[in-house]
Amino acid sequence: MISIAYQELAVSRSGYGWYFDNCPKNHAVLRNATCARSHGLKGSQYLFSSSHYICDRSIHAHRRLLVPQSQFGLCSSAINNQACSSSDDGEYDLVTLSNLCVDVLVSLDELPDDEDDTERMSLLEELSGNPPSQESWEVGGNTNTLIAAARLGMRVGALGLIGEDSFGSFLTEVLEAEGTGIVSGIVDRNLLPGRDHAFETLACFVLVNTRTNEHSFCSKYDFGPWPLFWNVHSLSDQAVDVLSRARTVFVNGFVFDEIPEELVVQAVHVAHGRGAAVIFDPGPRSWTFKEGVRRHALDTMLDIADIVLMTEEEAGAVIGTEDAEEAVKRLMSRPTRKNTKWVIIKQGERGALLGDAETGDLYHQEGYSVPVEDTVGCGDSFAAAIALGFAKGTDIRSMLALAGAVGAATAMGRGAGRNVATVARVEQILLDHLEKHPESSDKIHGALGMIVDDKKSLV
C-alpha cells in the first residue's frame, strides 16, 4: 500500500501546471501527462522543460516532456439529458468539443510502479475517493480556450463530460465564474447502461515523490478503453442542438481519446450545416496519429476543418516538415481537402504564419516582446482569438495581431486555466507595441476593436 502524504511541497500552483521551486532546472514545470502510458511513454521521462521550451512541443524527438491538454468533459445536469445553460439568445460564438478536466497535484512517499497496473488502479481508486484539497486543483484542457474566449467577450459553451462529483462541481464553478456556458453532453447516457464510471469528471493526478521530486501521472484514461465511448455511434440530441447554434467550433486532437471518428465527423457536419466554421488543432496528440485509425481520423479532420492550427513541431509530425511556410503550403495543397480556408502555423516567440487557401496569400504576425513566465496555454488562448476574428469577419492582419497578443499575455503568467490572458494585459501589449511600431497602427487598432465589451452578437 502506498502512503499518501499531503504535506507541503516546495511547489507553486500555476493553473495548468505546478512549478517545483527546488527543481535543478530553471522554472521547471510539471505538466499534465494524462494517457502517457497508453502510448508507451514512461512518466518520469517527460516531466521537465526549461522555461524557453514552447508548451506545445510534446513527445518530440528529444522526448523531454509530454504536455497533453488533458481530456474529457460532460455537464452535471446534462448527465440527465438536460442542458445546463446557454447564452441569452441561445446562440454561441464558440463551442468547444470535449477535452475538459481537472489537474490535481498529489504528494507521495513513494511512486507506484509504472508497469504495475494493479497498484496504479488501487492508487487511482484511493485518490478518487479521498483527493487532496482544492488548493492543489486547477482546470485544464479546453477550459484554456473557453476562458480566454469568454474574457474577450465571446459567448462560449462546452460540449463534453462533467460528472456529478466534486471535480465536476469545481470545474463548473470555475467556468461559470468566468462567464462561460456549460452546455450538454456529447453522448446520451441512456445508451450506456452500467457504465456510470465513464460519466465521471476526468481528474489527472500529478504524483510527486516528496523525497526525490520524481513525478508520475495517474488517471482513468491510463486504463482505456480508447476512445472511451468506442461503442457510441450518434451524438446526443442536446449536442446536435448546441452545435446547430454555434458560429465556430473548436476541436483538438484529444477528442479522439473520448469519442470515435464518426462522432467527430457528425459534429463537424452539424456545425457546417448551420454555417459554422470548424477549427482543428491536433495539438500534443499529433505524435499519436502516425498510422491506422488514428491517422485516418487526423486526415479526415485536416480535410473537413475550415481552419487548421498547429505548431512548427506538430507540423513536423503531421505533414513532415517544421518549416512554417512549407507546412502551410503542403496543408493548403492537400488534394483531399474540402473546406480549408486558413492554415496557421504557430511559431512561439517568433509569432505565427497564416496561409489563405483561397487566395494563396501568406500573412506573418511578428511576436511580441514580453517577460515570459511560461508558455502553457498560449496556443489554446491564441485559438480563442482566431475564433473571434473568424466569427467577426475581421481583417486577417488585425486578427493575427490580437491572437499573438492573447498568446503573449498568457505567457506572462504562470500556467493556464484561470491564469490565461486578461483583457487588460492584452490591451497593454498591443498599446506598447503600437508605441514602438507606429507603422502597425491599422492592425493594432483593428485588434483592439475586436475585443467585445459585452456578450451580445458579434455581428
Side-chain angles (χ1 to χ4, degrees):
M1 174 68 71
I2 294 176
S3 173
I4 300 175
Y6 294 143
Q7 66 265 30
E8 289 292 323
L9 250 187
V11 301
S12 302
R13 185 168 65 88
S14 59
Y16 188 67
W18 291 267
Y19 292 78
F20 290 76
D21 298 334
N22 55 342
C23 173
K25 292 185 180 292
N26 183 36
H27 294 301
V29 58
L30 174 62
R31 309 170 197 256
N32 179 356
T34 305
C35 241
R37 294 174 63 253
S38 69
H39 297 289
L41 308 176
K42 304 297 183 185
S44 58
Q45 287 179 280
Y46 312 96
L47 300 183
F48 292 110
S49 167
S50 299
S51 59
H52 68 274
Y53 263 81
I54 298 172
C55 69
D56 289 326
R57 295 186 178 184
S58 164
I59 324 178
H60 50 74
H62 301 293
R63 289 194 165 188
R64 285 202 180 181
L65 59 102
L66 178 67
V67 201
Q69 299 168 357
S70 324
Q71 18 238 325
F72 218 58
L74 174 73
C75 141
S76 55
S77 62
I79 289 190
N80 297 316
N81 302 319
Q82 300 173 354
C84 294
S85 63
S86 64
S87 57
D88 292 340
D89 61 0
E91 300 298 315
Y92 294 93
D93 300 310
L94 171 67
V95 169
T96 61
L97 188 65
S98 179
N99 190 214
L100 305 177
C101 79
V102 175
D103 296 336
V104 183
L105 181 69
V106 179
S107 304
L108 298 174
D109 293 335
E110 181 183 353
L111 297 183
D113 184 347
D114 280 345
E115 303 299 326
D116 190 337
D117 282 349
T118 301
E119 182 182 18
R120 293 179 61 83
M121 179 63 79
S122 176
L123 176 61
L124 178 62
E125 292 174 353
E126 187 172 354
L127 289 172
S128 299
N130 182 33
S133 69
Q134 289 191 11
E135 292 181 355
S136 62
W137 301 9
E138 186 53 80
V139 295
N142 270 340
T143 64
N144 302 331
T145 303
L146 287 166
I147 292 173
R151 290 178 179 178
L152 291 172
M154 299 182 77
R155 303 162 303 170
V156 301
L159 283 173
L161 176 95
I162 302 178
E164 293 180 322
D165 48 48
S166 58
F167 296 118
S169 297
F170 173 77
L171 190 50
T172 300
E173 290 171 4
V174 169
L175 292 182
E176 287 181 346
E178 290 287 343
T180 69
I182 303 292
V183 284
S184 62
I186 296 175
V187 301
D188 188 339
R189 181 171 183 167
N190 294 329
L191 298 177
L192 297 168
R195 289 191 62 189
D196 290 349
H197 67 282
F199 292 88
E200 298 170 350
T201 308
L202 179 72
C204 177
F205 294 99
V206 184
L207 312 178
V208 185
N209 185 306
T210 56
R211 293 179 293 100
T212 66
N213 253 2
E214 291 180 297
H215 313 89
S216 184
F217 308 91
C218 189
S219 83
K220 65 182 180 182
Y221 266 49
D222 293 346
F223 305 99
W226 304 284
L228 185 66
F229 293 119
W230 58 271
N231 58 343
V232 177
H233 305 290
S234 62
L235 297 167
S236 70
D237 292 340
Q238 289 76 24
V240 171
D241 177 60
V242 169
L243 289 165
S244 69
R245 293 186 281 119
R247 301 191 65 197
T248 58
V249 177
F250 180 71
V251 183
N252 66 28
F254 288 101
V255 70
F256 298 106
D257 293 338
E258 177 184 343
I259 58 177
E261 177 186 339
E262 62 183 296
L263 259 66
V264 181
V265 172
Q266 283 181 36
V268 171
H269 285 166
V270 171
H272 279 161
R274 294 300 297 270
V278 174
I279 303 170
F280 177 60
D281 187 341
R285 277 292 188 259
S286 295
W287 286 262
T288 71
F289 291 115
K290 292 184 177 180
E291 58 188 10
V293 295
R294 302 268 305 180
R295 182 69 212 191
H296 187 273
L298 172 67
D299 288 336
T300 297
M301 287 304 300
L302 294 176
D303 289 342
I304 64 178
D306 299 273
I307 303 171
V308 175
L309 296 146
M310 64 187 71
T311 68
E312 292 169 305
E313 295 77 20
E314 291 160 359
V318 169
I319 204 70
T321 179
E322 294 189 11
D323 179 85
E325 186 170 338
E326 179 63 23
V328 165
K329 291 178 179 178
R330 289 187 190 182
L331 287 165
M332 290 196 304
S333 63
R334 284 171 55 85
T336 53
R337 75 173 180 87
K338 299 178 177 66
N339 302 304
T340 310
K341 297 177 177 64
W342 295 341
V343 173
I344 305 173
I345 302 298
K346 296 173 285 185
Q347 299 176 286
E349 64 183 12
R350 292 179 288 111
L353 182 69
L354 181 148
D356 186 326
E358 295 179 353
T359 66
D361 294 335
L362 298 178
Y363 301 82
H364 182 259
Q365 169 60 41
E366 67 275 15
Y368 295 98
S369 178
V370 299
V372 176
E373 285 288 337
D374 81 81
T375 55
V376 178
C378 293
D380 303 328
S381 304
F382 181 97
I386 297 298
L388 175 61
F390 195 91
K392 286 176 67 68
T394 305
D395 170 74
I396 289 177
R397 290 181 176 85
S398 296
M399 177 194 67
L400 286 175
L402 178 65
V406 172
T410 296
M412 292 173 68
R414 282 193 171 190
R418 290 168 289 182
N419 302 308
V420 298
T422 63
V423 167
R425 187 173 284 173
V426 170
E427 291 177 336
Q428 191 60 57
I429 290 171
L430 290 169
L431 292 172
D432 288 347
H433 187 79
L434 178 60
E435 183 177 355
K436 296 176 183 177
H437 303 278
E439 72 279 5
S440 65
S441 175
D442 287 347
K443 72 176 182 180
I444 295 299
H445 282 111
L448 289 166
M450 287 176 61
I451 300 172
V452 183
D453 293 330
D454 54 38
K455 294 293 197 295
K456 296 179 181 179
S457 173
L458 296 178
V459 179

